[in-house]
């Protein structure tokens, strides 16, 4: 995928443990399929990022249809509702705190999540939330699906040209939809 | 002179904006006039727009926040960069908020307190409320005053463009006095949030100063330092954080009606945590009573489960004999 471990912020050091770059879209879709309770976190920037199927909200609705729980941060839940999708809503920092808590039973009360995906968030906020999760929720796996390398995630798509990222995201979704 | 200064020199000379003068401390007389209405919740709250100019999407956002709460009859205080950016934002008639709203320290007033350092006058106003209305002595008595402000005074600080160490220290000056602070997304870089857990009932137990009984009062205010991602989220959260355990039913109803209205506008639905803020049926905003009752009863709401007491977190303030 020609992704690079180049971060989007200067003078920010993520520490010695850094995210692995996802080598192929298949790797990401396979991790999502294997997860028992995956959660997709969709940030408020999602409406500004155009994808092959519309924007990141539309892509997230496709994730929702494959059985991945979706939570919208900021006030994005209204956009989902306007497009006919019912998703969870929670403030981003609050959500980071809940994901860190092993006693939190999730939105549906059925237990903690084992894999958390991030997309459409503000880069620097995701950086901080994932830093908290990396250090204080070490059993939780995190994947950053945005097209900028997030060093604090367990796995990141890495920094890559927009065109390649759009293709990769589409491939992940197709894999999930086929294997539903 | 740099090229940039030279290039902007004409704009700098001709651009003129009107701003209300930074007026300094809120006087005892003004506090006496509105203190009771603030403490009992009849004025829904005091919103202080403070801090730096590192806004996520530009300075007009501060003016948007200010106008939203001015229309809702909150007292809006401004200082420093936020006060200036409100002056820079004009509507289609060429007027800014200082020209549209009065400068009184009263419901619907827009008060420029002064420079960024004048934020001490905002916290000072809440201290004066505790001193004037509850006769809490000022000397060596920070704990009692913070207890009073946290439980009774519906003030919320918003530092939408916070980025400096000074803004962080101002924010900490507010939250240690019991005033919740909302910062913009860049404020997350302070690496500190003081977030409450509304789902943990045991976190919200408060003493009744009349009897010493410990009772659940609901998550009001839920957070003390909070980084919001979007402007809309910040506005809804401001309305929510203005609620306090000591609100009268009338005051709580007014605050809830603003919270619900903002939530419906920006999130498209009723808030999901309403059952945590309604203590008795009298707390319900009159025009939405039936609609809200249906929602909260689905969540297992019971009248009287949330205490309406004389709240304090300090055991020594309990008056039982």
């Amino acid at each position: 995928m020609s992704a690079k471990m180049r971060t989007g912020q200067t003078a920010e050091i993520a520490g010695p443990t850094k995210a692995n770059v996802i080598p192929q879209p298949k790797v990401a879709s396979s991790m999502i399929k294997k997860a028992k309770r995956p959660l997709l976190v969709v940030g408020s920037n999602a409406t500004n990022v155009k994808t092959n199927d519309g924007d990141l909200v539309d892509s997230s609705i496709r994730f929702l249809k494959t059985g991945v729980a979706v939570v919208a941060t900021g006030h994005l839940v209204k956009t989902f509702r306007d497009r006919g999708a019912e998703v969870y809503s929670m403030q981003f920092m609050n959500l980071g705190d809940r994901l860190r808590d092993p006693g939190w039973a999730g939105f549906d009360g059925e237990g903690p999540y084992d894999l958390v995906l991030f997309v459409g968030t503000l880069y620097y906020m995701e950086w901080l939330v994932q830093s908290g999760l990396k250090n204080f929720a070490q059993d939780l796996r995190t994947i950053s699906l945005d097209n900028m390398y997030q060093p604090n995630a367990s796995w990141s798509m890495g920094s890559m040209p927009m065109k390649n990222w759009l293709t990769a995201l589409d491939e992940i979704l197709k894999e999930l939809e086929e294997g539903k | 002179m740099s090229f940039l200064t030279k290039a902007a020199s004409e704009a700098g000379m001709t651009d003129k904006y009107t701003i209300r003068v930074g007026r300094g401390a809120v006087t005892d007389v003004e506090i006496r006039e509105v203190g009771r209405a603030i403490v009992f919740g009849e004025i829904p709250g005091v919103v202080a727009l403070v801090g730096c100019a590192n806004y996520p999407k530009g300075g007009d956002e501060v003016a948007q926040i200010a106008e939203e709460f001015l229309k809702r009859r909150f007292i809006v205080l401004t200082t420093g960069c936020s006060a200036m950016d409100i002056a820079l934002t004009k509507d289609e008639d060429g007027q800014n908020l200082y020209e549209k709203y009065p400068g009184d320290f009263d419901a619907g007033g827009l008060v420029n307190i002064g420079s960024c350092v004048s934020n001490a006058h905002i916290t000072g106003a809440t201290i004066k409320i505790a001193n004037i209305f509850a006769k809490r002595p000022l000397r060596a008595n920070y704990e009692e005053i913070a207890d009073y402000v946290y439980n009774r005074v519906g003030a919320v600080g918003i530092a939408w463009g916070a980025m400096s160490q000074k803004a962080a220290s101002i924010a900490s000056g507010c939250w240690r006095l019991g005033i919740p602070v909302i910062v913009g997304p860049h404020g997350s870089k302070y690496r500190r949030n003081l977030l409450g857990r509304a789902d943990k009932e045991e976190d919200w137990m408060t003493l009744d100063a009349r009897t010493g009984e410990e009772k659940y009062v609901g998550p009001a205010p839920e957070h003390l330092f909070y980084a919001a991602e979007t402007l809309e989220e910040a506005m809804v959260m401001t309305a929510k954080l203005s609620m306090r355990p000591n609100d009268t039913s009338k005051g709580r109803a007014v605050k809830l009606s603003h919270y619900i209205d903002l939530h419906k506008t920006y999130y498209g639905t009723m808030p999901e945590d309403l059952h945590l803020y309604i203590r008795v049926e009298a707390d319900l905003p009159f025009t939405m009573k039936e609609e809200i009752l249906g929602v909260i009863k689905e969540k297992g709401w019971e009248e009287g489960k949330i205490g309406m007491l004389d709240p304090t977190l300090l055991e020594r303030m309990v008056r039982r004999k």
Side-chain angles (χ1 to χ4, degrees):
Chain A
M1 289 201 304
S2 72
K4 295 196 168 50
M5 291 172 74
R6 189 183 60 237
T7 64
Q9 298 188 113
T10 51
E12 283 279 3
I13 309 297
T17 311
K18 288 195 177 65
N20 299 308
V21 172
I22 296 167
Q24 295 292 329
K26 250 184 206 170
V27 176
S29 52
S30 162
M31 278 193 282
I32 299 167
K33 277 185 203 167
K34 280 183 191 160
K36 286 184 186 128
R37 279 177 59 74
L39 175 73
L40 174 68
V41 181
V42 190
S44 61
N45 202 33
T47 49
N48 300 326
V49 183
K50 300 297 163 207
T51 58
N52 293 340
D53 45 15
D55 60 24
L56 272 176
V57 174
D58 295 306
S59 305
S60 305
I61 293 171
R62 284 174 68 191
F63 271 106
L64 182 70
K65 286 177 182 165
T66 65
V68 177
V70 174
V71 55
T73 65
H75 68 292
L76 192 70
V77 68
K78 187 169 190 291
T79 313
F80 276 96
R81 283 189 182 126
D82 291 345
R83 297 185 195 182
E86 274 304 316
V87 298
Y88 300 110
S89 173
M90 187 175 269
Q91 301 93 19
F92 197 19
M93 285 291 164
N94 226 356
L95 179 65
D97 185 42
R98 303 279 165 113
L99 291 170
R100 173 209 52 79
D101 178 5
W104 185 52
F107 290 104
D108 51 8
E110 290 184 11
Y113 299 98
D114 59 345
L115 176 72
V116 183
L117 311 145
F118 292 84
V119 77
T121 58
L122 297 176
Y123 183 80
Y124 49 89
M125 277 187 109
E126 185 181 329
W127 177 296
L128 293 163
V129 168
Q130 285 177 349
S131 168
L133 295 176
K134 180 168 84 171
N135 290 292
F136 300 103
Q138 294 185 353
D139 293 335
L140 184 71
R141 281 184 307 154
T142 55
I143 300 178
S144 175
L145 292 176
D146 283 319
N147 76 329
M148 187 82 75
Y149 180 64
Q150 280 286 2
N152 290 320
S154 314
W155 292 84
S156 170
M157 296 280 276
S159 298
M160 64 170 92
M162 194 67 180
K163 199 176 140 195
N164 298 5
W165 175 72
L166 289 174
T167 313
L169 190 67
D170 221 31
E171 277 180 42
I172 293 172
L173 275 162
K174 276 181 187 154
E175 287 270 340
L176 289 174
E177 284 163 344
E178 282 163 15
K180 195 165 65 167
Chain B
M1 186 181 278
S2 72
F3 280 113
L4 280 175
T5 320
K6 180 64 186 167
S9 62
E10 195 181 331
M13 294 297 282
T14 52
D15 268 8
K16 291 210 184 329
Y17 302 91
T18 47
I19 184 169
R20 187 161 289 138
V21 66
R23 44 145 303 160
V26 181
T27 64
D28 283 24
V29 176
E30 287 168 302
I31 295 287
R32 279 177 201 285
E33 277 172 18
V34 297
R36 189 178 300 274
I38 294 172
V39 169
F40 288 114
E42 286 145 16
I43 291 178
V46 181
V47 176
L49 290 160
V50 302
C52 325
N54 192 23
Y55 312 115
K57 288 180 186 164
D60 57 338
E61 288 188 326
V62 187
Q64 279 181 53
I65 299 174
E67 184 147 35
E68 183 72 59
F69 289 100
L70 285 165
K71 282 181 190 163
R72 293 172 185 279
R73 309 279 296 156
F74 281 64
I75 302 175
V76 179
L77 310 178
T78 65
T79 58
C81 297
S82 294
M84 289 187 278
D85 283 317
I86 287 172
L88 296 180
T89 309
K90 292 180 177 178
D91 65 6
E92 58 273 18
D93 300 324
Q95 283 193 313
N96 67 28
L97 295 181
Y98 293 110
E99 293 165 305
K100 286 162 71 178
Y101 292 90
D104 312 327
F105 186 79
D106 204 343
L110 177 62
V111 189
N112 178 9
I113 296 288
S115 76
C116 205
V117 200
S118 300
N119 282 309
H121 293 314
I122 298 177
T123 48
T126 63
I127 292 170
K128 279 181 187 177
I129 294 174
N131 176 239
I132 294 169
F133 287 98
K135 305 270 185 274
R136 301 280 163 98
L138 289 178
R139 191 169 171 79
N141 198 27
Y142 201 96
E143 189 186 28
E144 270 184 37
I145 287 173
D147 181 57
Y148 184 90
V149 173
Y150 175 78
N151 282 303
R152 288 170 173 79
V153 183
V156 182
I158 304 176
W160 192 239
M163 60 90 192
S164 64
Q165 293 93 331
K166 185 171 70 167
S169 66
I170 290 164
S172 63
C174 285
W175 79 56
R176 74 192 286 262
L177 197 61
I179 302 169
V181 180
I182 297 170
V183 286
H186 287 293
S188 61
K189 293 174 193 166
Y190 287 131
R191 268 95 172 150
R192 170 170 294 188
N193 268 205
L194 300 171
L195 301 172
R197 287 287 296 263
D199 56 328
K200 291 188 172 177
E201 228 172 78
E202 66 275 18
D203 287 357
W204 308 99
M205 303 303 280
T206 297
L207 293 167
D208 187 346
R210 288 183 289 252
T211 61
E213 190 190 353
E214 200 177 52
K215 210 153 180 209
Y216 174 65
V217 291
E222 188 179 353
H223 311 297
L224 275 179
F225 190 53
Y226 174 87
E229 201 180 338
T230 63
L231 176 76
E232 292 81 357
E233 180 191 338
M235 289 200 276
V236 175
M237 186 54 78
T238 305
K240 181 157 123 174
L241 294 181
S242 69
M243 286 186 260
R244 292 292 184 279
N246 192 57
D247 291 340
T248 57
S249 283
K250 187 182 162 196
R252 181 60 65 94
V254 172
K255 292 179 183 187
L256 278 170
S257 67
H258 292 302
Y259 174 42
I260 293 167
D261 188 42
L262 282 164
H263 201 281
K264 276 184 168 176
T265 307
Y266 296 119
Y267 285 70
T269 55
M270 276 276 186
E272 288 186 3
D273 53 1
L274 275 181
H275 60 294
L276 304 177
Y277 295 102
I278 296 163
R279 301 158 298 182
V280 289
E281 278 198 28
D283 287 353
L284 293 165
F286 188 70
T287 51
M288 296 183 257
K289 197 168 181 178
E290 295 308 316
E291 189 187 359
I292 298 173
L293 264 180
V295 173
I296 59 175
K297 280 186 176 166
E298 263 177 35
K299 299 256 182 189
W301 176 79
E302 291 166 37
E303 183 154 16
K305 189 188 165 197
I306 304 171
M308 288 181 79
L309 29 110
D310 182 2
T312 180
L313 297 173
L314 306 174
E315 256 180 61
R316 65 188 166 81
M317 298 304 291
V318 175
R319 297 190 294 271
R320 74 178 160 211
K321 288 175 186 171

